[in-house]
């Protein structure tokens, strides 16, 4: 990604980060986030109402498949399966109608403490 950004002279528009401690600020300053399929990244983006593109170019491992199901169920972003689709996925996600839909859908997500459900699922 860093090579792509530099090659296309996008340094002022695209920022690439590794681990950061100020995720909320970065997400609030962003129009969209491309992130790994971890639950923490996903829920931080949802909390900040920042539409999401999940990087699944190298596939999803077992525990990450729930992220795809969550995105499909609530329609809050896209999954990127190959780099050839990056520009198309970005354009689709940033299209005003889709962008606003993602944000509205994030606002509709029912939040609950899932501890009991998780424990019951593990026990079953």
């Amino acid at each position: 990604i860093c090579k792509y950004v530099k090659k296309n002279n996008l340094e002022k528009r695209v920022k690439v980060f590794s681990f950061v401690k100020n995720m909320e600020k970065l997400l609030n300053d962003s129009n969209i986030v491309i992130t790994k399929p971890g639950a923490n990244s996903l829920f931080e983006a949802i909390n900040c109402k920042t539409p999401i593109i999940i990087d699944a170019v190298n596939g999803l491992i077992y525990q990450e498949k729930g992220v795809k199901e969550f995105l499909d169920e609530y329609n809050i972003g896209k999954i990127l399966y190959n780099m050839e689709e990056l520009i198309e996925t970005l354009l689709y996600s940033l299209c005003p109608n889709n962008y606003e839909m993602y944000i509205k859908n994030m606002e509709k997500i029912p939040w609950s403490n899932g501890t009991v459900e998780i424990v019951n699922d593990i026990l079953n």
Side-chain angles (χ1 to χ4, degrees), residues 42 54 67-78:
L42 174 72
I54 296 293
V67 171
K68 180 193 179 324
E69 293 167 6
F70 195 90
L71 254 62
D72 290 346
E73 180 176 351
Y74 293 104
N75 195 18
I76 55 171
K78 301 283 281 176

Side-chain angles (χ1 to χ4, degrees), residues 54-65:
I54 296 293
D55 175 4
V57 171
N58 293 318
L60 296 170
I61 57 178
Y62 179 78
Q63 65 266 29
E64 297 168 342
K65 293 186 191 271

Side-chain angles (χ1 to χ4, degrees), residues 105-117:
N105 289 344
M106 287 179 181
E107 293 169 351
K108 295 177 192 174
I109 294 173
W111 293 106
S112 64
N113 184 341
T115 305
V116 173
E117 289 179 46

Side-chain angles (χ1 to χ4, degrees), residues 52-55 71 76-80 89 92-93 102:
I52 305 157
I53 297 174
I54 296 293
D55 175 4
L71 254 62
I76 55 171
K78 301 283 281 176
I79 303 273
L80 181 67
T89 303
Y92 177 88
S93 298
Y102 288 153

Side-chain angles (χ1 to χ4, degrees), residues 21-55:
K21 294 183 179 182
N22 60 338
M23 179 65 90
E24 183 179 358
K25 180 185 178 342
L26 295 170
L27 287 169
N28 283 322
D29 291 343
S30 301
N31 296 99
I32 198 159
V33 62
I34 302 172
T35 186
K36 63 185 183 65
N40 289 343
S41 301
L42 174 72
F43 287 108
E44 287 195 56
I46 293 168
N47 186 56
C48 292
K49 308 291 185 281
T50 306
I52 305 157
I53 297 174
I54 296 293
D55 175 4

